[in-house]
Amino acid sequence: MEGLLIVFLSGLLLFVLGLLFLKRDKKLYQDAVTTNATLVGYYEYHGLSQMTTMYSMEVEYRTEDGTLIHAREQAGVNHQKYPVGTELSIFYSRQKPELFLLSGSKERTIVLYCMMIGGMITMLLFAYMMLTY
């Protein structure tokens, strides 16, 4: 029975975190500024399994007031997307200029929706297991 409760709480946590991060992103980027950024490097780290190398882009760009921002991408992937020196079209948050997303990229939104759907499926699995237990 405790195992079933853990399944439910895990699903609820996934759903709530996905929802909160999605709301946060919507608020942060509702009045975003589009600009060009230069890819200056990659931050390299290991994934959860310690066997996978992950990369987050590090970019530089100027805000509307001319402030130079050096920021790291919030997401990571298992390959280097672009060569260092590439000019990228981004949009950054007016509230937190160090937070940016690649223009046209939907990866983060897709991941957050997947978290919410995964959470709902886990909670439904809990309900099914409770009904058949």
Side-chain angles (χ1 to χ4, degrees), residues 72-125:
R72 186 182 313 154
E73 183 181 27
Q74 294 180 43
V77 293
N78 63 358
H79 63 284
Q80 296 182 3
K81 295 181 192 178
Y82 309 101
V84 172
T86 302
E87 289 289 318
L88 303 167
S89 178
I90 65 163
F91 56 95
Y92 66 87
S93 169
R94 287 185 194 273
Q95 296 172 3
K96 294 186 176 186
E98 67 280 359
L99 296 179
F100 73 93
L101 295 172
L102 287 176
S103 294
S105 175
K106 301 290 182 198
E107 293 170 351
R108 183 167 170 83
T109 303
I110 290 169
V111 167
L112 295 177
Y113 277 116
C114 286
M115 281 177 66
M116 292 170 53
I117 291 168
M120 285 190 286
I121 289 171
T122 304
M123 288 187 289
L124 288 172
L125 180 63

Side-chain angles (χ1 to χ4, degrees), residues 41-91:
Y42 283 93
Y43 173 74
E44 186 177 315
Y45 61 98
H46 292 285
L48 295 174
S49 68
Q50 296 296 319
M51 296 175 70
T52 306
T53 302
M54 303 294 288
Y55 302 93
S56 292
M57 293 188 299
E58 294 182 7
V59 300
E60 282 186 348
Y61 53 94
R62 292 204 179 270
T63 61
E64 290 178 312
D65 67 2
T67 304
L68 180 65
I69 303 288
H70 183 94
R72 186 182 313 154
E73 183 181 27
Q74 294 180 43
V77 293
N78 63 358
H79 63 284
Q80 296 182 3
K81 295 181 192 178
Y82 309 101
V84 172
T86 302
E87 289 289 318
L88 303 167
S89 178
I90 65 163
F91 56 95

